């Protein structure tokens, strides 16, 4: 092989060339978005790249921008609290940061809480009850329960308003499928509105005789 005009000629055989990655320029996270239920976990992967896209070894630091759960040093996110935020990876040796959106939604309905409780009211009074649903992690879940009374003390509407009529104790229950929450309620008499005397009479007595009369008071119900 003849020499080139500059007087250089390549040696015989192969020439080994090694190309190494440049400095870290960008981080990429996978998946690009996380949507999970409370109680679930997901592994987030981070990869580093130079300006031409070559892989660069990294040891990222992981952070959560909101109190949504736990994020361990390996990038495993364990969801607990419903809400939105971001998962962030940082490399301290260079100011390189990447982040992805994360959303945690409530898990399955686990508990129903009925308020107020306990409750004492008089016959004739009415009061709305409220029912709040939550998952096993305390996240609130909107519910539209079915309302029931365990004793015939009055009526309760489809929206949870109890109207007291009869004296006694019962439970106000809110049902969603097979799950329920309850509050105790005690109904006492209302104000006195009428009296009865027994025996009702008329009485006919002989001088010197005695009769026992029983007087009972009633409210409007």
């Amino acid at each position: 092989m003849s020499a080139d005009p500059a007087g250089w000629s390549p040696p015989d055989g192969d020439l080994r060339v090694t190309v190494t990655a440049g400095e870290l320029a960008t981080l990429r996270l996978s998946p690009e978005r996380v949507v999970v239920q409370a109680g679930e976990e997901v592994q987030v992967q981070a990869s580093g790249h130079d300006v031409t896209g070559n892989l660069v070894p990294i040891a990222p630091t992981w952070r959560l921008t909101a109190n949504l759960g736990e994020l361990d040093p390996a990038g495993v996110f364990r969801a607990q609290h419903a809400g939105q935020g971001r998962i962030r990876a940082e490399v301290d040796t260079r100011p390189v940061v990447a982040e992805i959106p994360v959303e945690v939604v409530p898990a399955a309905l686990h508990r129903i809480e009925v308020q107020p409780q306990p409750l004492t009211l008089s016959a004739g009074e009415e009061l709305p009850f409220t029912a709040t649903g939550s998952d096993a992690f305390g996240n609130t879940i909107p519910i539209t329960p079915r309302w029931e009374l365990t004793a015939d003390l009055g009526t309760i509407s489809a929206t949870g308003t109890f109207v007291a009529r009869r004296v006694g104790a019962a439970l106000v229950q809110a049902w969603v499928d097979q799950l329920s929450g309850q509050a105790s309620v005690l109904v006492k008499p209302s104000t006195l509105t009428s009296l009865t005397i027994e025996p009702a009479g008329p009485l006919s007595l002989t001088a010197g005789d005695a009769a026992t009369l029983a007087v009972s008071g009633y409210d409007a119900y």
Side-chain angles (χ1 to χ4, degrees):
M1 182 178 296
S2 61
D4 64 14
W8 180 87
S9 60
D12 293 335
D14 296 333
L15 178 64
R16 184 181 300 277
V17 177
T18 300
V19 178
T20 60
E23 293 185 338
L24 178 66
T26 60
L27 291 176
R28 299 174 188 171
L29 302 186
S30 177
E32 296 181 350
R33 177 181 177 84
V34 172
V35 179
V36 291
Q37 281 190 349
E40 295 181 341
E41 67 177 46
V42 62
Q43 171 72 63
V44 181
Q45 303 283 354
S47 58
H49 303 266
D50 65 13
V51 292
T52 58
N54 296 303
L55 284 173
V56 178
I58 58 172
T61 300
W62 295 94
R63 304 184 191 279
L64 270 174
T65 64
N67 183 24
L68 304 178
E70 298 176 350
L71 184 60
D72 72 15
V76 176
F77 172 58
R78 297 176 179 87
Q80 293 178 344
H81 312 299
Q84 296 181 344
R86 303 186 79 80
I87 293 176
R88 177 180 298 174
E90 303 174 356
V91 175
D92 296 335
T93 56
R94 294 183 58 81
V96 181
V97 176
E99 57 184 21
I100 57 173
V102 56
E103 180 180 2
V104 178
V105 298
L109 183 65
H110 177 75
R111 183 171 182 265
I112 298 175
E113 182 177 357
V114 178
Q115 292 291 343
Q117 69 168 316
L119 176 68
T120 299
L121 68 169
S122 299
E125 293 182 338
E126 66 178 62
L127 188 79
F129 283 83
T130 60
T132 303
S134 60
D135 64 13
F137 301 91
N139 298 303
T140 300
I141 301 175
I143 58 174
T144 303
R146 180 181 78 257
W147 293 94
E148 293 181 357
L149 280 171
T150 60
D152 185 18
L153 304 186
T155 61
I156 190 162
S157 71
T159 57
T161 297
F162 172 58
V163 181
R165 288 290 184 267
R166 286 165 288 279
V167 171
L171 296 176
V172 174
Q173 296 180 322
W175 288 86
V176 175
D177 297 327
Q178 302 303 312
L179 186 66
S180 70
Q182 60 189 29
S184 60
V185 60
L186 177 66
V187 179
K188 63 181 183 180
S190 184
T191 57
L192 181 67
T193 59
S194 63
L195 296 173
T196 62
I197 300 176
E198 293 292 340
L203 295 178
S204 178
L205 300 175
T206 303
D209 290 346
T212 299
L213 303 178
V215 181
S216 300
Y218 298 90
D219 65 10
Y221 305 94

